[in-house]
Amino acid sequence: MGEQWKSLRKKSSEDQKTEPEIPGLKPANPAVLPEPQKAEANYPELSPQKHSKPLHVRRGPPNLQIRPPRRDARVKARDVAGKTEEEPGQADKEEKTEKSIISWRGAVIEPDQSTEPPSSIIKEPEKPSSVEVEDQKEPVPINERQMAVIEAFRHAWKGYKAFAWGHDELKPLSKSYSEWFGLGLTLIDALDTMWILGLKEEFEEAKKWVATDLLLDKNVDVNLFESTIRILGGLLSAYHLSGDSLFLEKAKDIGSRLMPAFNTPSKIPYSDVNIGRGTAHPPRWTSDSTVAEVTSIQLEFRELSHLTGDKKFQKAVDAVMKHVHSLSGKNDGLVPMFINTNSGQFTHLGVYTLGARADSYYEYLLKQWIQGGKKENELLEDYMRAIEGVKKHLLRTSQPKKLTFVGELAHGHFSAKMDHLVCFLPGTLALGAHNGLTADHMELAKALIETCYQMYAQVETGLSPEIVHFNLHAQKDRKDVEIKPADRHNLLRPETVESLFYLYRFTGDKKYQDWGWEILQNFNKYTRVPSGGYTSINNVQNPSNPEPRDKMESFFLGETLKYMFLLFSDDVDLINLDKYVFNTEAHPLPIWAPA
């Protein structure tokens, strides 16, 4: 381990009492946005593409409420959209349930940390009412790029309302919907996005659905991880932002219904829960759970205990982290991808990745430490060890542009493969640096976000594929990024935009906003469906026919467009990153004030 980490370890006992002064952190420069180019309006007609194969406490009212943007700015944005709202589609179409293997979702969302010097917060412990004080400030007006995000959201929402209202996901080309859990995933994922964007009418309409139609007493299997980060996280965030107790009541209901997952011999939770019957089980083909899934539900269950005073939720998820902390089978802090629910031991040893099935384990180590007031040093130790392990085993440099990337290790063999999911890492590293961790984490964050941008910029459509392979040796007429035919789909993922948001918030460098603007324009050019909605695509290398997949993932509204809007904002108090931490589905939860 580096000397900085050794010295940090020595101070850990003192850190439990008082946080160290963090030098050299300055607010982000107040950026003045150039007038954006108009996003291309002539979007190509998209037709459905047939898949060759499926892819895989505090009690009482909350005081963490933020004001939505000014009404006059919202009206102006509504004029930009130029659309009139339609009644929710009474889509009485036959419910089409897709039971194909769901592609791994573990998108990693970084916590928000404000750009005010942390030293002031350390000297004077933050009080919950501080957010109310912020409400007295004059809101920063919405700029044109943010208005373009609002227009994109309203276009997506128009399709969802017309063709998929109350269902999990919109199929924009066939003007229908797909169900996963049958719990209105897109609607719940988008609640806090609507609040942050100032779309209060849409928010109120969705709230009515939650009040009357979100029925949790139903005989359906749900994935513990996905329902925690999307539904529980989305309801908790909507509660904190709006102050409406409806969302907390629903959060307590779903949280309680997910608890049977922890009834295992090892206390490592099962992957699936029947929320009506109160039973849980692993997947049919294995008794393993993925490491990312069982270690990326903690922020939400801990917050539920914090709000309700019922310690059972936090006790269950804290026990998982303590168990994983003590396990053998790690490689300099890097963890395998699978863990057995019976034995509680890692399985499939020797394979290490920061992509699917392991990614958000690393994210939640840091974010739990931040959420709890930087007191739980085991979490910090595991995070710091893991980043050292990444540097030692997984970092390489590509040719010809010498891009720094994170590969994978399988039984001692290095693979230059990097999932788009790994692009959460620059934002997480930047968040750690902002919270006083070693400065070289910020330097690595800057290098990696350049790589993630190049995963878009070096592709024909300007959109990143799901997976890339990097060239390690210079070859004539070869780019850094190579794409295999099976990997060239784009699911409208948020990770790069998420990290751009953190880097801009902490550095003030406007190039990060410009990169995000390019990405938004390319989403509009190649994934926008004229009748409403956006679609994932099968081929980012074919601008003339990107092969639309006819599916809009809930995280496009819950994460991608939310991070876009925040990226283009110069208001550091719009989800102040010293007061909120984002869960891995981009739902902001409050950082706990000192007792």
Side-chain angles (χ1 to χ4, degrees), residues 42 52 82 110 122 168 173 218 278 328 360 419 489 494-495 582:
N42 296 321
S52 55
E110 317 322 353
I122 292 164
D168 283 345
L173 293 159
K218 58 194 302 184
S328 59
S360 44
D419 294 358
H489 49 286
E495 289 80 22
F582 280 107

Side-chain angles (χ1 to χ4, degrees), residues 563-581:
Y563 281 129
M564 283 277 189
F565 186 81
L566 294 171
L567 166 63
F568 298 145
S569 173
D570 290 305
D571 182 1
V572 297
D573 287 323
L574 182 61
I575 311 297
N576 184 315
L577 290 180
D578 287 323
K579 293 175 169 47
Y580 292 93
V581 61

